[in-house]
Amino acid sequence: MTKKQLAAEVVARLKEAYPYTDCTLDYDEAWKLLVSVRLAAQCTDARVNVVVVDLYKKFPTVAALSAAEPEEIEAIVKPCGLGHSKARDISACMRILHDQYQDKVPEDFDTLLTLPGVGRKSANLIMGDVFGKPAIVTDTHCIRLCNRIGLVDNIKEPKKVEMALWKLIPPEESNNFCHRLVDHGRAVCTARTAPYCDQCVLQDICLKRIK
């Protein structure tokens, strides 16, 4: 089985196993997802979803958040960890959105990458979930599972995994495929315990299982 054939089978099986998938960060506006994905670095989505309630209560708009001092933001987001750097990036990012983009999140991948605190993973998430464009989000679940399954060969650098997957995953499947990897990584192909291979819909085609 070629990697392309393997990818097609993995996409099909995960789609059947997790037909309803979505981003697990709560948001109702694009800028809020931008904030939440920055807070989610080395933090659980569940904790971020709790913390942002207070953040948006105090600063309900891009304009309000852009006017806040980083220290004010840090005081609220501190439970997410790395509070100083995250607050600094959020403050700078919101000020750029307010001053240069009329409080709107730009609908261009390369432009997103110029925003403070926004890397390829965040930009892809915005492109896929907000704008409905093809996107491959190489988070820890994606990198772990793709290496275990055999879609990539001992590649741990997020950008290299992303580039490899672009060659394997149909663009129209890419965004939901990455969400389904998160679903599968949390439920079955876990990181902090031994994976539950006996419960895995990929067990007969997974490289690690075969070995």
Side-chain angles (χ1 to χ4, degrees):
M1 185 183 292
T2 66
K3 276 184 166 47
K4 193 90 171 179
Q5 291 170 326
L6 175 62
E9 189 64 25
V10 171
V11 166
R13 293 191 189 188
L14 290 182
K15 186 184 288 190
E16 184 175 353
Y18 308 98
Y20 307 108
T21 192
D22 203 356
C23 178
T24 51
L25 291 168
D26 295 337
Y27 69 98
D28 56 10
E29 296 181 75
W31 68 271
K32 291 182 179 179
L33 181 57
L34 205 54
V35 169
S36 288
V37 73
R38 180 65 186 96
L39 293 177
Q42 299 183 40
C43 182
T44 65
D45 290 359
R47 181 180 292 275
V48 170
N49 289 338
V50 171
V51 169
V52 293
V53 172
D54 289 337
L55 183 66
Y56 301 147
K57 186 176 181 179
K58 186 169 184 179
F59 307 111
T61 64
V62 171
L65 197 51
S66 71
E69 292 299 324
E71 293 77 14
E72 295 179 276
I73 299 172
E74 182 178 356
I76 299 173
V77 305
K78 192 174 181 179
C80 294
L82 305 174
H84 183 71
S85 61
K86 289 179 179 180
R88 180 195 62 213
D89 286 343
I90 289 169
S91 174
C93 183
M94 292 301 110
R95 289 177 183 181
I96 290 173
L97 291 188
H98 183 62
D99 294 341
Q100 298 181 26
Y101 298 104
Q102 297 76 51
D103 295 357
K104 304 294 185 183
V105 175
E107 193 175 341
D108 176 77
F109 185 82
D110 290 331
T111 303
L112 287 170
L113 290 179
T114 67
L115 298 175
V118 178
R120 296 189 67 86
K121 182 179 78 170
S122 303
N124 270 301
L125 185 65
I126 294 291
M127 293 301 292
D129 278 28
V130 174
F131 300 122
K133 303 289 182 66
I136 290 180
V137 179
T138 48
D139 62 3
T140 56
H141 292 289
C142 176
I143 294 169
R144 182 178 75 255
L145 268 64
C146 287
N147 275 280
R148 284 180 177 176
I149 295 165
L151 293 175
V152 300
D153 301 315
N154 196 32
I155 302 175
K156 301 299 171 65
E157 185 181 325
K159 185 177 179 179
K160 289 183 178 179
V161 173
E162 179 192 337
M163 294 301 110
L165 291 179
W166 278 122
K167 298 176 182 178
L168 300 175
I169 308 300
E172 67 274 12
E173 299 287 355
S174 58
N175 192 46
N176 282 337
F177 170 71
C178 293
H179 285 321
R180 290 185 175 108
L181 287 178
V182 174
D183 294 337
H184 195 59
R186 287 174 174 164
V188 178
C189 198
T190 51
R192 295 185 180 181
T193 65
Y196 302 100
C197 295
D198 58 322
Q199 302 174 26
C200 182
V201 297
L202 307 174
Q203 60 175 286
D204 60 314
I205 58 172
C206 175
L207 179 68
K208 291 293 185 183
R209 178 70 175 183
I210 292 169
K211 287 185 175 182

